[in-house]
Amino acid sequence: MGDYAIRKLTSPEWPQAYAVIHELRTHLTQPDFLARTARMTGYGYELIGAFDSDGLIVGAMGYRPLETYTRGWHLHVDDLVTAASVQGRGVGTALLKFAEAEAVARGMICLFLDSRPTAETFYLSRGFARQSPYPMRKPV
């Protein structure tokens, strides 16, 4: 387990985060990733980076503040990715702790995220609980 510097990324750093995000979001090209990130930041999305001791981004997380009738004022984690080369070394946990501290500082009541089945054990072991109703999607 290493120590990681965790902080919000500036737009000039977004290209460095692309390689990590691309490990999860393989359908994104770098130009598409950069354009989407710029658009999403317009409605509150923030891209967070985890840096190793050499200053390389080894983890990335994107979140946004939301308030809904069902979930209240919360921080929604859209993306959480640890580079395959450092998985199991505490990067994901450090990113979640950062998100939790941000939520507390903003007076939010919780973190929410949508998980893949392969990541469910990771989230459950860090205090998350399954929620209902299940998200639904319909292409338009």
Side-chain angles (χ1 to χ4, degrees):
M1 301 280 186
D3 289 324
Y4 304 97
I6 312 284
R7 64 175 173 75
K8 183 178 176 182
L9 299 176
T10 62
S11 55
E13 294 172 307
W14 296 347
Q16 297 169 48
Y18 171 73
V20 176
I21 292 287
H22 189 255
E23 289 187 29
L24 177 64
R25 307 291 183 215
T26 57
H27 63 284
L28 292 176
T29 64
Q30 187 174 31
D32 188 34
F33 165 75
L34 296 173
R36 285 187 191 199
T37 303
R39 277 193 311 273
M40 293 186 318
T41 59
Y43 50 87
Y45 182 86
E46 297 177 48
L47 188 58
I48 309 302
F51 295 82
D52 68 9
S53 59
D54 294 325
L56 300 173
I57 296 175
V58 294
M61 172 177 60
Y63 57 57
R64 56 200 159 97
L66 287 176
E67 185 168 21
T68 66
Y69 294 125
T70 305
R71 296 177 177 175
W73 179 231
H74 68 280
L75 197 61
H76 187 91
V77 178
D78 290 295
D79 308 289
L80 178 67
V81 189
T82 298
S85 61
V86 296
Q87 285 183 354
R89 296 186 191 166
V91 177
T93 299
L95 285 164
L96 284 176
K97 286 181 181 179
F98 182 90
E100 188 171 344
E102 273 295 303
V104 168
R106 296 177 189 202
M108 296 173 164
I109 61 169
C110 59
L111 299 177
F112 270 92
L113 56 81
D114 297 316
S115 176
R116 300 177 325 279
T118 56
E120 186 178 48
T121 301
F122 171 79
Y123 292 117
L124 290 171
S125 69
R126 279 144 186 91
F128 284 79
R130 289 182 192 95
Q131 294 293 293
S132 218
Y134 296 100
M136 305 297 282
R137 178 177 186 258
K138 179 183 179 185
V140 293

